[in-house]
Amino acid sequence: MLQRYLLAAVVLINVLELVRANLYTDGGKPHRILLDTDVDTDDFFALLYLLKLNRSEFELEVNPLAFLVSVHSISSFSICCIEVKPRVINGKVVSPGLSFALILESSNSFLFSLITTGLLDSRAVTINTNAWTDAGHAVNQIYDILYMMDRDDIPVGMGGEGGITEAGHVLPDVGGYLPIVEQGNATAGGCRYRQAIPVGLGGRLDIDSNYGIRKAFLPQGSRRYSPLRQPTSQQVLNEKISAGPITIFIIGAHTNIGIFLMRNPHLKKNIQQIYVMGGGVRSKNPTGCCPNNASSSCQPRQCGNPGNLFTDYTSNPYGEFNIFGDPFAAYQVFHSGIPVTLVPLDATNTIPINENFFKAFEQNQHTYEAQYCFQSLKMARDTWFDDQFYTSYFMWDSFTSGVAVSIMRTLHNQNGENEFAEMEYMNITVVTSNEPYGINDGSNPFFDDRKVPKFNLEKGGVHSGHVQTGLRDPFCIVQNGRGRCKDGYTEEVTSSDAVRVLVATRAKSNPDSNSILDRAYFKSFLDVLNHPHQTGRFNFTTQFPHYKEVFYKPDLGTKRLGKPVVFDMDMSAGDFLALFYLLKVPVEIINLKAIIVSPIGWANAASIDIVYDLLHMMGRDDIPVGLGDVFAMNQSDPLFSAVGDCKYLKVIPHGNGGLLDSDTLYGLARDLPRSPRRYTAENSVKYGAPRDTDHPELRQPLALEIWESIVRTLDPGSKITILTNGPLTSLAKIIQNENNTRSVIQGVYVVGGHISHGDTDKGNVLSIDSNEYTELNMFLDPLAAKTVFESSLDITLIPLGVQRRVSCFPKILKRLRSKTNTTPEALFVQRLLSRLYRLKKTHYRYHHLDTFLGEILGAVVLAGDHSKLEPIWLAKPIMILAQGDESKDGQVVIDEKRGKFVRILENVDPEAHYGLFAKQLAIKKQSAVVGSFGEQRRIWSAPPN
């Protein structure tokens, strides 16, 4: 019996070596793959599928002398091993670094699984930053996935600070934060296409946090985003493509690759193939249709459309999210001359996540990567906006990876033969503008008011028409008819603009008719993800042998608590400095009742987790945190409130010195201890969700809910003092919802606004040249500011002028460093300030960072030690401009007739301010309970005392 197995194994070896020879590229080297991803949920399904193939089926083994054949027993069969010498294949000595499992079934038939290495070498990941995720959250999730999979060797490229000049010159390191049509010299800009993507629940908030699962599950390694040290997308692309033949997978918007091809046409020859998930050619959207038994009142939505823009189908029924994210970049990819294989909605619409697959997946979670994917998929299902999940959620990006890898297995594969999809050649193009061409209507930056079109594009050509400006672009909307805009449409054409593309048209059925899995790829996906070889090493909790979830809450029962305070923050670096100070002020002076987060300023909503981590560090897991609106007032879409405009938020840079750095606290957020509290997408019917999730008690409360809870539990006669350090959106909503705000609000301290004293005394909205005298917090939601300042509340204004008097890095750092016997929180603050100061001196994108120092002042003033500060107060009648005019919105105007008298802080003693801040942080009372994530690691790695 043993001899028969050995003979079968030797025969199989020869067969597999022939297969291996075909799987090699022509030079006998492995396929090299670069994955460009927007890190949506289905994107990391694709990444993990590739990593598993990479390591367990297609990655180079280390042993150059021999390889092992293991014949594993099924029931009573024995195990044996064979050593095989190196072989010559195609005239070259091939390292037999090839292991495989030969599984013998009791029927004497056998199934072999080829676990090769060196055939598919995933060399890099680049992150698309203008679609479903925000850069800081996306890059750290990729780092954590790679750490779990023991693949810290894979470089990750993200962002960049380069731009495109007015003349159309593409500078080095364009970060891809904006579509090419909007890209200038900075990373701040509009959301022409991105506004189709929901921002909050069901959108970027849930994808940034992976529904709250990311921080609960993924282990945290040493790699992280760090300012000015993070490799950029263009750097990684240049390095990897310059090194030789490579294949690119694009499973997000095409900005990174489009920019690279425009700047480096000489390197196109190194790109062997581009696989794209996106577009819809002949597709007919199966979602949004009325059921057969529906009443006559049912109105179909995007049913039958070629595209899938479920937020935008009334104006653009043709676009698909990945292509629509940057149509001009996609055009560069398709028309580059590089062979393109497209897996569009035509194919992915035929492989929905059906109930049978979901149940099979639920029962097959044998690896950490399978568990992470299933938990994510389950939360996507449980929070789906209607009851059509099983016919609306598809295998998009992971299916594309499966099709691509299957095609790549066969050398000289001309017609795309593969295991998972039917293929067909089509002549298509990417629509970047709408007919009639050659118009000048203000929608097209490539042509409007230009004698020479940008990039020397052809006048009257396919790029010269109307470019969709937003969700409700009047040009695109046809009354009682189908939307007319086609931006992002992968259209089948017969014109000279056509490109011959290999297109997947349908997912193949599972050849096993007895399986409950009706698609061939379903089986491959589950098999690969659950393969026991080269699996993830651990998750967050199993990473530590003595992990224990602990909530820290102080005993305040015997203390006489001070004035109740609610802190409203937009999560800038300055806000976190102010929060540290508020937590250090004795509770007998300030009783911090709650924190409200307004995610329409310096940070995205998912950064609420940093607030939770800071509170955990300081032993204040008792303080509730409420999430405010994700849009400024009147900026959400009236038809679909989950999406909206970025009219004011567009002034915040996406890259360095902006959202990227705030979302990571300038690379230091991961040094904070990990809180058991975090944002989760858990929800309840009680709060308007379509269904209860598994743990509705973990639902993230909203700002107004926290406010109402605080008001209900106030002691009789008590009133709340509010400190606002960001846009006034949440406070305006409180005013609109509260019948008598003066009965519960003692007063409001507003850190913001600018009262100009002359032409040289300008504001800090730096990217709107026409608005020179506005302060950013007022500009980010001028209507909310107007609402607050026209209310009956007592308001204390701490404007930009006095903030600037206390914004000296050397002086505040000198005070902090003078404290020899200090605290963990003081050390963290010192690290953060030192980093901000270094960045300000190093790179022009950080020249504004001293703004954040001024944001500490409100907390110091609120604490009440005014004798040392020597404040000077004035009362002035002011009003806020909010007329929808970008050149004036948010300005503070002195108006004797219509203005409201407000107490304004004119001056303080800067040295006293720095001293009070440093002294309070160094005091041992109310100090950190656990000082850092490093300390947490040590606690969880050792047995408890």
Side-chain angles (χ1 to χ4, degrees):
M1 180 71 74
L2 178 59
Q3 288 179 335
R4 181 158 61 91
Y5 293 160
L6 292 175
L7 178 61
V10 171
V11 171
L12 185 58
I13 290 166
N14 288 302
V15 173
L16 294 180
E17 286 185 335
L18 290 173
V19 174
R20 179 181 173 87
N22 285 330
L23 282 167
Y24 273 116
T25 59
D26 291 337
K29 295 180 180 179
H31 289 287
R32 301 171 63 242
I33 286 181
L34 185 143
L35 179 70
D36 189 71
T37 169
D38 62 3
V39 202
D40 197 350
T41 305
D42 57 317
D43 288 62
F44 63 75
F45 288 9
L47 172 62
L48 286 165
Y49 182 83
L50 288 174
L51 289 174
K52 290 288 286 189
L53 288 173
N54 219 14
R55 305 195 72 189
S56 65
E57 295 186 23
F58 298 109
E59 185 174 348
L60 185 62
E61 295 281 353
V62 176
N63 186 355
L65 298 177
F67 66 88
L68 204 60
V69 177
S70 300
V71 183
H72 297 274
S73 66
I74 299 294
S75 66
S76 62
F77 288 104
S78 62
I79 299 175
C80 70
C81 299
I82 303 171
E83 185 178 32
V84 181
K85 299 300 182 184
R87 294 290 303 273
V88 176
I89 298 178
N90 291 337
K92 296 192 177 185
V93 176
V94 177
S95 168
L98 168 66
S99 66
F100 63 90
L102 178 63
I103 305 173
L104 303 177
E105 300 177 351
S106 57
S107 64
N108 291 329
S109 64
F110 61 85
L111 170 68
F112 63 85
S113 173
L114 181 62
I115 306 174
T116 67
T117 63
L119 305 180
L120 188 61
D121 183 10
S122 181
R123 290 297 182 98
V125 175
T126 52
I127 295 174
N128 166 246
T129 55
N130 66 356
W132 282 89
T133 49
D134 297 293
H137 297 292
V139 69
N140 281 334
Q141 177 163 210
I142 292 294
Y143 281 141
D144 290 345
I145 288 174
L146 293 176
Y147 176 65
M148 178 177 75
M149 301 301 293
D150 199 18
R151 292 307 305 265
D152 280 343
D153 59 303
I154 295 178
V156 179
M158 183 275 298
E161 293 301 306
I164 300 176
T165 67
E166 274 295 303
H169 178 58
V170 180
L171 301 173
D173 273 338
V174 176
Y177 297 106
L178 303 167
I180 294 174
V181 72
E182 298 281 355
Q183 180 64 62
N185 283 318
T187 66
C191 52
R192 179 189 296 252
Y193 303 123
R194 201 185 193 196
Q195 63 183 267
I197 296 174
V199 176
L201 302 178
R204 280 160 40 205
L205 167 59
D206 282 339
I207 306 305
D208 281 341
S209 63
N210 192 24
Y211 303 95
I213 300 167
R214 171 187 145 204
K215 290 188 70 176
F217 191 96
L218 291 178
Q220 179 176 310
S222 60
R223 286 209 294 177
R224 65 175 76 184
Y225 164 78
S226 185
L228 301 184
R229 296 180 180 177
Q230 169 65 40
T232 69
S233 293
Q234 295 301 315
Q235 287 171 349
V236 170
L237 285 167
N238 207 308
E239 177 188 349
K240 297 304 175 184
I241 295 173
S242 296
I246 195 166
T247 298
I248 295 177
F249 291 11
I250 306 176
I251 56 175
H254 289 222
T255 311
N256 287 335
I257 310 303
I259 288 287
F260 177 84
L261 295 173
M262 292 171 69
R263 181 169 170 78
N264 303 282
H266 61 289
L267 290 176
K268 290 180 183 180
K269 64 181 184 297
N270 285 358
I271 303 174
Q272 296 176 302
Q273 184 83 25
I274 297 177
Y275 291 91
V276 172
M277 188 281 124
V281 186
R282 302 170 185 168
S283 60
K284 293 184 178 181
N285 198 323
T287 65
C289 300
C290 293
N292 293 330
N293 59 352
S295 66
S296 58
S297 62
C298 178
Q299 294 294 321
R301 300 190 297 275
Q302 65 269 34
C303 180
N305 291 344
N308 67 348
L309 302 179
F310 64 91
T311 61
D312 194 26
Y313 61 89
T314 57
S315 56
N316 187 332
Y318 301 93
E320 178 276 333
F321 276 106
N322 284 351
I323 308 296
F324 183 73
D326 195 339
F328 187 77
Y331 186 95
Q332 304 308 307
V333 171
F334 279 78
H335 288 260
S336 64
I338 301 165
V340 173
T341 298
L342 179 66
V343 182
L345 298 177
D346 307 50
T348 60
N349 283 347
T350 66
I351 185 166
I353 300 289
N354 57 42
E355 194 165 3
N356 282 339
F357 171 78
F358 188 90
K359 289 179 178 177
F361 199 175
E362 189 171 27
Q363 294 165 10
N364 287 275
Q365 302 176 62
H366 308 308
T367 63
Y368 288 115
E369 53 272 22
Q371 292 166 21
Y372 189 57
C373 288
F374 179 76
Q375 289 180 28
S376 307
L377 184 65
K378 184 177 187 302
M379 189 58 81
R381 185 201 66 170
D382 292 350
T383 58
W384 200 249
F385 59 91
D386 61 18
D387 59 357
Q388 301 299 311
F389 175 83
Y390 291 123
T391 58
S392 302
Y393 199 99
F394 304 94
M395 278 285 203
W396 292 289
D397 299 326
S398 64
F399 179 61
T400 300
S401 294
V403 171
V405 168
S406 185
I407 292 173
M408 293 170 70
R409 282 175 172 153
T410 305
L411 193 63
H412 307 304
N413 187 341
Q414 299 298 318
N415 297 308
E417 290 86 357
N418 70 91
E419 305 164 77
F420 306 126
E422 298 171 6
M423 310 297 293
E424 180 181 341
Y425 277 101
M426 300 182 189
N427 294 320
I428 66 173
T429 189
V430 177
V431 177
T432 63
S433 72
N434 300 277
E435 298 185 61
Y437 298 136
I439 62 174
N440 189 340
D441 64 358
S443 71
N444 192 334
F446 293 153
F447 290 87
D448 291 335
D449 302 322
R450 289 177 177 271
K451 291 183 179 179
V452 178
K454 203 166 188 176
F455 309 123
N456 291 311
L457 298 174
E458 179 187 356
K459 292 183 178 181
V462 295
H463 305 300
S464 66
H466 179 91
V467 178
Q468 186 170 349
T469 59
L471 291 173
R472 306 296 167 233
D473 183 345
F475 177 93
C476 304
I477 297 175
V478 178
Q479 194 68 28
N480 299 320
R482 195 182 206 184
R484 64 185 287 200
C485 279
K486 294 184 176 182
D487 306 62
Y489 181 26
T490 46
E491 186 173 22
E492 196 170 8
V493 294
T494 57
S495 67
S496 60
D497 202 43
V499 178
R500 189 168 185 258
V501 173
L502 184 61
V503 179
T505 59
R506 184 174 183 81
K508 287 184 177 179
S509 298
N510 189 346
D512 181 1
S513 59
N514 295 320
S515 172
I516 65 169
L517 302 175
D518 63 350
R519 293 290 180 262
Y521 180 69
F522 282 156
K523 183 178 186 305
S524 174
F525 179 78
L526 294 183
D527 287 349
V528 169
L529 234 59
N530 284 290
H531 201 287
H533 292 277
Q534 311 295 343
T535 184
R537 299 175 293 168
F538 36 63
N539 63 23
F540 184 75
T541 57
T542 61
Q543 180 182 7
F544 306 106
H546 302 283
Y547 173 83
K548 183 180 181 182
E549 190 175 83
V550 179
F551 290 84
Y552 297 117
K553 299 180 180 181
D555 182 6
L556 303 176
T558 61
K559 297 181 182 293
R560 184 181 180 86
L561 300 178
K563 58 185 174 185
V565 170
V566 170
F567 182 38
D568 185 353
M569 61 188 293
D570 69 353
M571 300 183 288
S572 72
D575 290 359
F576 285 107
L577 297 170
L579 179 56
F580 269 120
Y581 187 83
L582 291 173
L583 293 169
K584 291 293 292 184
V585 175
V587 294
E588 294 85 355
I589 297 174
I590 287 181
N591 176 20
L592 187 58
K593 300 285 288 184
I595 296 169
I596 290 174
V597 166
S598 296
I600 59 168
W602 282 102
N604 290 293
S607 297
I608 193 172
D609 283 353
I610 306 177
V611 180
Y612 284 129
D613 289 346
L614 191 155
L615 291 174
H616 186 65
M617 172 184 178
M618 298 301 293
R620 294 307 306 266
D621 288 328
D622 58 309
I623 296 177
V625 182
L627 181 63
D629 288 0
V630 295
F631 291 106
M633 293 180 70
N634 285 2
Q635 292 300 296
S636 63
D637 185 74
L639 301 180
F640 196 91
S641 61
V643 295
D645 201 1
C646 58
K647 178 177 181 178
Y648 301 110
L649 187 59
K650 67 183 179 185
V651 302
I652 303 288
H654 289 275
N656 292 154
L659 293 163
L660 168 61
D661 280 315
S662 296
D663 285 341
T664 59
L665 198 53
Y666 291 78
L668 295 177
R670 287 158 76 89
D671 288 337
L672 293 170
R674 186 75 66 91
S675 172
R677 294 195 296 170
R678 66 187 65 88
Y679 167 80
T680 78
E682 300 279 0
N683 215 329
S684 169
V685 173
K686 175 183 177 182
Y687 293 99
R691 65 195 66 81
D692 284 352
T693 58
D694 287 350
H695 297 283
E697 72 279 3
L698 298 179
R699 172 183 173 272
Q700 170 61 51
L702 302 180
L704 286 180
E705 295 164 4
I706 291 296
W707 173 259
E708 291 166 359
S709 174
I710 296 299
V711 170
R712 282 196 305 268
T713 57
L714 268 181
D715 293 335
S718 294
K719 291 185 178 184
I720 301 167
T721 299
I722 300 176
L723 171 63
T724 69
N725 262 38
L728 300 180
T729 313
S730 295
L731 180 53
K733 292 295 179 72
I734 289 171
I735 291 169
Q736 291 177 338
N737 283 273
E738 192 77 44
N739 291 328
N740 184 8
T741 52
R742 286 183 64 91
S743 67
V744 293
I745 298 178
Q746 182 70 37
V748 177
Y749 286 72
V750 175
V751 178
H754 180 53
I755 301 173
S756 177
H757 297 285
D759 292 342
T760 60
D761 186 16
K762 297 184 178 180
N764 62 354
V765 182
L766 302 177
S767 53
I768 303 290
D769 294 336
S770 60
N771 195 335
E772 296 182 300
Y773 302 103
T774 298
E775 184 272 336
L776 190 61
N777 286 344
M778 299 297 110
F779 180 81
L780 288 170
D781 196 341
L783 184 57
K786 179 179 172 66
T787 301
V788 170
F789 278 86
E790 289 181 352
S791 72
S792 61
L793 295 175
D794 291 331
I795 297 174
T796 297
L797 185 66
I798 302 171
L800 185 60
V802 70
Q803 292 178 48
R804 285 172 168 163
R805 298 178 191 275
V806 292
S807 297
C808 179
F809 277 107
K811 290 183 178 179
I812 195 168
L813 283 168
K814 180 180 178 181
R815 290 300 187 108
L816 285 166
R817 290 165 179 163
S818 68
K819 307 296 180 183
T820 55
N821 189 17
T822 190
T823 61
E825 56 271 22
L827 290 173
F828 184 88
V829 165
Q830 184 177 317
R831 283 185 67 204
L832 176 58
L833 287 171
S834 297
R835 178 164 293 188
L836 297 180
Y837 186 37
R838 176 180 60 81
L839 292 170
K840 177 179 170 61
K841 293 187 297 181
T842 301
H843 198 283
Y844 71 99
R845 294 289 196 210
Y846 293 101
H847 69 278
H848 61 280
L849 295 190
D850 48 4
T851 293
F852 300 135
L853 290 183
E855 294 184 315
I856 304 170
L857 183 57
V860 176
V861 169
L862 180 64
D865 197 351
H866 292 172
S867 60
K868 294 181 180 179
L869 281 177
E870 298 180 2
I872 296 175
W873 302 95
L874 294 176
K876 293 182 180 181
I878 68 171
M879 60 181 296
I880 309 294
L881 299 184
Q883 302 166 344
D885 182 351
E886 285 184 4
S887 66
K888 296 180 180 178
D889 279 349
Q891 288 185 14
V892 177
V893 177
I894 306 296
D895 190 319
E896 297 287 347
K897 293 182 179 180
R898 296 177 296 169
K900 172 183 175 175
F901 274 89
V902 170
R903 188 172 72 147
I904 300 172
L905 182 62
E906 282 284 309
N907 201 1
V908 295
D909 180 350
E911 291 297 334
H913 166 78
Y914 300 138
L916 287 170
F917 181 73
K919 178 182 178 181
Q920 196 67 59
L921 286 177
I923 292 174
K924 301 296 184 181
K925 290 184 179 180
Q926 293 179 207
S927 186
V929 175
V930 55
S932 66
F933 182 67
E935 182 179 339
Q936 247 180 351
R937 291 180 69 101
R938 291 190 291 273
I939 293 171
W940 292 334
S941 298
N945 294 329

